């Protein structure tokens, strides 16, 4: 396997399926799975929404950037939070240790899949709508991704099959 394919990092909006696709892909490839949101909660001893409530959004983004920028993994599928793209050091590190895949989903589909934003620990600034957040993040996802997978009309299994084929074809 080419060196940059030793890990795969999935980026995208909340509800784009990073965790679900990540777990399935890791099982199919025999990789480990790293959910960075859970890693942050373990390291901080708090839920994401509690970090955001206590530290504010900027404080949470600093924690997220730090944890992702120091992440060490080998033969892993990595699923960071959707706001990881705001952390320059984190994204440079993830691009260095992995192939970054953008799971692209339409705004309408994101809106349909998402529940309560606060409960999910979504990093959104006061006064912003989900559409504002979507429009703000898309250019970052596109900039940092090595590969984009369009999810429209596909099941999680379809996306996993597509990614698995991509990885196996490049080994």
């Amino acid at each position: 396997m080419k060196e940059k394919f030793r890990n795969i990092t999935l980026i995208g909006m909340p509800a784009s399926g990073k965790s679900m696709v990540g777990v399935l892909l890791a099982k199919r490839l025999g990789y480990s799975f790293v959910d960075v949101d859970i890693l942050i909660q373990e390291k901080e001893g708090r839920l994401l929404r509690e970090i955001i409530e206590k530290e504010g959004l900027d404080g949470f983004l600093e924690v997220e950037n730090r944890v992702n920028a120091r992440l060490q993994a080998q033969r892993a599928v990595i699923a960071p939070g959707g706001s990881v793209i705001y952390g320059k050091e984190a994204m440079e590190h993830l691009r260095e240790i992995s192939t970054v895949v953008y799971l692209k989903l339409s705004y309408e589909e994101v809106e349909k899949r998402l529940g309560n934003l606060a409960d999910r620990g979504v990093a959104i600034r006061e006064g912003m709508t989900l559409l504002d957040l979507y429009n703000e993040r898309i250019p970052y996802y596109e900039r940092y991704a090595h590969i984009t997978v369009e999810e429209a009309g596909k099941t999680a299994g379809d996306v996993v099959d597509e990614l698995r084929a991509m990885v196996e074809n490049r080994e």
Side-chain angles (χ1 to χ4, degrees):
M1 181 180 277
K2 290 183 182 172
E3 195 58 22
K4 80 174 185 181
F5 282 94
R6 65 183 181 263
N7 296 308
I8 298 167
T9 297
L10 303 176
I11 61 171
M13 285 295 290
S16 63
K18 296 179 297 291
S19 295
M20 185 182 352
V21 167
V23 167
L24 294 171
L25 183 62
K27 282 183 180 180
R28 295 232 187 118
L29 294 174
Y31 281 25
S32 60
F33 175 72
V34 180
D35 184 318
V36 184
D37 283 349
I38 292 173
L39 201 58
I40 291 169
Q41 289 180 163
E42 287 173 355
K43 287 184 183 293
E44 293 294 308
R46 302 179 277 175
L47 298 174
L48 298 182
R49 65 179 166 77
E50 293 171 337
I51 299 169
I52 293 169
E53 286 167 12
K54 259 232 167 36
E55 313 296 326
L57 184 58
D58 290 334
F60 169 75
L61 293 175
E62 284 176 29
V63 169
E64 182 179 48
N65 185 46
R66 182 180 69 245
V67 170
N68 279 284
R70 294 179 181 163
L71 184 67
Q72 295 301 313
Q74 197 68 21
R75 292 180 54 83
V77 177
I78 302 164
S83 54
V84 68
I85 42 96
Y86 296 124
K88 187 176 185 284
E89 296 82 6
M91 288 310 303
E92 286 173 357
H93 177 67
L94 291 170
R95 281 181 56 88
E96 207 172 275
I97 68 164
S98 65
T99 297
V100 177
V101 177
Y102 168 32
L103 298 179
K104 187 175 183 178
L105 202 57
S106 71
Y107 170 73
E108 293 73 24
E109 192 63 28
V110 169
E111 187 180 39
K112 191 164 52 171
R113 290 183 185 187
L114 265 178
N116 182 310
L117 295 183
D119 282 350
R120 285 191 68 125
V122 174
I124 187 167
R125 295 203 183 278
E126 187 88 24
M128 275 186 109
T129 66
L130 180 59
L131 182 59
D132 294 336
L133 186 70
Y134 182 87
N135 289 330
E136 177 180 275
R137 288 186 180 182
I138 296 306
Y140 287 97
Y141 295 136
E142 291 173 347
R143 178 183 327 142
Y144 286 122
H146 293 110
I147 295 161
T148 297
V149 174
E150 180 60 62
E151 293 186 291
K154 296 177 186 165
T155 66
D158 295 336
V159 173
V160 170
D161 289 343
E162 191 174 324
L163 288 170
R164 181 177 163 197
M166 172 201 76
V167 170
E168 290 173 348
N169 289 335
R170 295 186 183 209
E171 284 186 343

